[in-house]
Amino acid sequence: MKFYNVVQNSEEWFDLRKGRATASHFGEIMVNCFDKDFNYKPSAVWGKQANDYAMRIALERITDKRMENGYTNEWMERGHELEPVARAEYENQTFTDVTNGGFICDDDCGASSDGLVKDGGIEIKSVKYNTHFERLIKGGYDTKYRWQIIGNIWAYNLQWLDFVSFCPEFPEEKQLYIFRVKRDDTAINYLNDRLNSFKTLIETYQAVLK
């Protein structure tokens, strides 16, 4: 993996993502991989989202054109605007300095942490009040980001990653919620196995386009 000290959502950042499977999509790749008892199924059928994503990556590789065009909406814009505020509050509460997560990748995969902290990292979600409220009540972290978090831990070779939920509409002492997700090498092995299979799926689509 090679680290690039770029700014998230910059042109350089989007260009580095082109033709690579990125951690924000790892959840789509891991769909169908586990039975009800959480036993790993290495030959699981690819879901529609994973197939579509493989096609997109194949097209980007063949055409050298970026299909990810930086689409945004009101809540995504809010998240981008609040991320520096949440990061600063995290630094204040944890007495740590957060450095730029940039983008880290090899030829096939990449990841982009919201920040790096010594032997760990952070994943910031600036969310609506009801989402933040639910996290405060339930604890833990939002598992829809499970494989993104595991992917970041793997790519950056971290020992942990703090899931951070931030909502400035809450009382000051409740605006920031932090939950530490520790490194899970078994889950990382599952992810690596599935990513290798996904690479083959991409190559299948590339062969059709050549």
Side-chain angles (χ1 to χ4, degrees):
M1 290 282 185
K2 182 177 180 180
F3 177 76
Y4 296 86
N5 191 25
V6 297
V7 177
Q8 282 192 15
N9 301 299
S10 65
E11 286 298 310
E12 296 87 350
W13 184 80
F14 279 114
D15 282 339
L16 285 167
R17 291 165 64 89
K18 181 179 62 180
R20 293 182 170 97
T22 58
S24 58
H25 291 274
F26 285 177
E28 300 165 19
I29 295 170
M30 296 302 292
V31 166
N32 299 329
C33 282
F34 298 91
D35 63 21
K36 60 182 179 62
D37 297 317
F38 205 68
N39 295 309
Y40 178 62
K41 301 186 296 181
S43 300
V45 175
W46 295 106
K48 183 181 185 307
Q49 285 184 310
N51 269 296
D52 289 350
Y53 188 41
M55 291 177 196
R56 189 184 99 182
I57 293 172
L59 278 169
E60 288 181 336
R61 291 181 179 182
I62 292 293
T63 65
D64 197 33
K65 293 179 180 178
R66 195 175 80 200
M67 293 186 67
E68 186 177 39
N69 59 7
Y71 165 79
T72 186
N73 58 36
E74 178 184 353
W75 286 101
M76 292 170 69
E77 286 295 330
R78 167 189 160 95
H80 295 157
E81 292 172 4
L82 291 177
E83 188 172 304
V85 181
R87 186 184 296 111
E89 185 58 30
Y90 175 91
E91 290 179 316
N92 290 336
Q93 289 195 22
T94 61
F95 304 101
T96 55
D97 292 323
V98 178
T99 60
N100 181 36
F103 189 81
I104 192 166
C105 62
D106 58 19
D107 289 341
D108 299 303
C109 302
S112 186
S113 174
D114 289 332
L116 300 174
V117 186
K118 204 173 180 179
D119 57 348
I122 58 173
E123 183 64 36
I124 299 171
K125 304 299 179 185
S126 298
V127 297
K128 294 174 65 174
Y129 68 89
N130 55 334
T131 303
H132 191 68
F133 204 107
E134 180 181 18
R135 193 50 43 211
L136 293 177
I137 293 172
K138 289 185 176 180
Y141 71 102
D142 191 336
T143 54
K144 73 180 180 181
Y145 302 112
R146 170 178 168 78
W147 293 107
Q148 179 182 10
I149 290 171
I150 290 171
N152 277 326
I153 290 173
W154 160 66
Y156 288 90
N157 195 27
L158 306 176
Q159 293 305 307
W160 52 266
L161 190 144
D162 280 346
F163 172 84
V164 179
S165 179
F166 180 68
C167 184
E169 286 78 20
F170 273 64
E172 186 174 350
E173 67 277 8
K174 295 288 186 181
Q175 290 178 1
L176 196 77
Y177 169 85
I178 304 170
F179 182 84
R180 179 155 298 181
V181 182
K182 294 182 180 178
R183 183 184 183 92
D184 182 342
D185 285 321
T186 299
I188 288 172
N189 288 337
Y190 292 152
L191 176 62
N192 270 306
D193 181 71
R194 191 64 166 170
L195 287 174
N196 284 331
S197 297
F198 190 68
K199 177 182 177 181
T200 302
L201 180 64
I202 295 169
E203 291 171 349
T204 300
Y205 287 126
Q206 282 183 262
V208 173
L209 294 170
K210 289 181 178 178

